Amino acid sequence: MALASVVAGATGLPSAASAAEGAATAADVGPPCVRENLALPAGSWQRINVVHADPSGRFQLAYGTDTSWRGHVVRWDNGVPTNLGTPPGSLEEINAQGDFVGNSYSEDGLYRSTAWRYSAGQVTTLPGLPDSVQTIASAIAGDGTVAGWVRSADGRPTAVTWSPDNTVRALPGAGDSRAIDVDADGTVIGHLAGKPVRWAPDAQPEQLPGYAGDPDAYWELAGISAGVVAGQEHSGNSSLALAWAPGAAPTLLAEGAVTHAVNARGSVAYGQTYENKQWLRQNGVDRALPFGSSPYPIAEVAALTDDDIAYGNVSSTPVRWVCA
């Protein structure tokens, strides 16, 4: 997901006035979170990789490979795993209803994708815009709204959302755009003409401010929850893990780090790349997400629930870190 404290009342994030000085304040270090292995479905497995968990913590979604190298969708419901069969492509996100989205890919050598949603045991293809030849789903909200983008024949990407009834809508703004995540209130985050932006419902895009002031910087947004955006800014040879509270300048979590996920409490999971460490920034305190002693980056965080439980993988084992 250390430097800055991100405390501001109950949310754990700074006010606009305190953001600048907060970025220079080292975070305290608290007790490590408790790592637990997830139950595995019946069968023999090469590996199972968690790709997402819904904010409530009820559902988790994973891609599994059996000993015959066949792919499977695995979904946990209150800790009980079920093998849902062969996936129609890559898996992206799952919501609190157990619905999830992903993308399938063509076999014509062009690697074109088609977005889909899984709901009530059925896979439904998501439509494109009139001039699009490719659709990409990236996230699904609790109400079933899907965020992503479409690509036209000339290669231009356009950020879109799909309503629960699969109606597609282009998001406003001039320039290449992609939607990355969608909040519970319908706010969408993504990229427009190379800049990080948020689209409030029925509003024009708002550019998120950069941190280092580098005109050549670029950004990767990881997620949004309760209005707080998490992501990273790449400036020169450095990668800065950041959090943007509503109406505030970005807060620096750590240098040489990447953000994984943010939750409604304002907690952020992030990883320090060169130190090979994973952390949860919780109420201004960094708590380690332990994965054992290894010189290699064998741990990854895929999602963070609103109860401060991080889901992810250690090598080929699906795990959770309980930080509540």
Side-chain angles (χ1 to χ4, degrees), residues 1 48 51 115 200 220 239 242 273 291 307 318:
M1 264 169 92
I48 296 178
V51 298
E220 293 180 84
S239 178
L242 302 175
T273 306
F291 54 87
D307 291 329

Side-chain angles (χ1 to χ4, degrees), residues 8 18 20 82 98 107 109 209 233 244 247 250 256 267 271 299:
S18 66
T82 300
E107 298 180 359
E233 176 178 300
W244 289 265
S267 300

Side-chain angles (χ1 to χ4, degrees), residues 1 13 181 223-225 228-230 260-264 266-269 304 306:
M1 264 169 92
L13 287 161
D181 198 14
I224 181 172
S225 185
V228 178
V229 180
H260 301 308
V262 60
N263 69 13
S267 300
V268 182
L304 180 63
D306 290 340

Side-chain angles (χ1 to χ4, degrees), residues 240-262:
L240 309 175
L242 302 175
W244 289 265
T251 295
L252 178 64
L253 301 174
E255 295 185 44
V258 295
T259 44
H260 301 308
V262 60

Side-chain angles (χ1 to χ4, degrees), residues 5-70:
S5 171
V6 288
V7 179
T11 66
L13 287 161
S15 66
S18 66
E21 60 264 29
T25 304
D28 295 327
V29 176
C33 302
V34 177
R35 191 185 86 205
E36 301 172 345
N37 291 349
L38 301 187
L40 301 182
S44 299
W45 300 94
Q46 294 279 2
R47 61 188 302 115
I48 296 178
N49 288 337
V50 174
V51 298
H52 197 246
D54 89 86
S56 76
R58 174 178 172 178
F59 292 102
Q60 296 81 46
L61 182 68
Y63 183 90
T65 305
D66 63 26
T67 52
S68 297
W69 300 104
R70 291 186 295 264

Side-chain angles (χ1 to χ4, degrees), residues 174-260:
D176 295 356
S177 59
R178 296 172 176 83
I180 302 301
D181 198 14
V182 55
D183 209 349
D185 69 349
T187 297
V188 176
I189 61 167
H191 304 95
L192 173 63
K195 304 297 184 181
V197 297
R198 81 175 101 216
W199 289 271
D202 301 317
Q204 293 296 310
E206 170 202 356
Q207 184 176 326
L208 299 175
Y211 181 84
D214 180 359
D216 296 322
Y218 67 96
W219 295 264
E220 293 180 84
L221 299 184
I224 181 172
S225 185
V228 178
V229 180
Q232 53 260 9
E233 176 178 300
H234 301 280
S235 177
N237 293 323
S238 69
S239 178
L240 309 175
L242 302 175
W244 289 265
T251 295
L252 178 64
L253 301 174
E255 295 185 44
V258 295
T259 44
H260 301 308

Side-chain angles (χ1 to χ4, degrees), residues 2 10 12 70 83 89 99 103 106 150 158 163 174 185-186 190 211 240 244 272-273 282 284-285 288:
R70 291 186 295 264
N83 184 349
D99 298 340
N103 301 288
S106 66
V150 301
T158 299
S163 64
D185 69 349
Y211 181 84
L240 309 175
W244 289 265
Q272 289 179 291
T273 306
Q282 181 188 61
V285 175

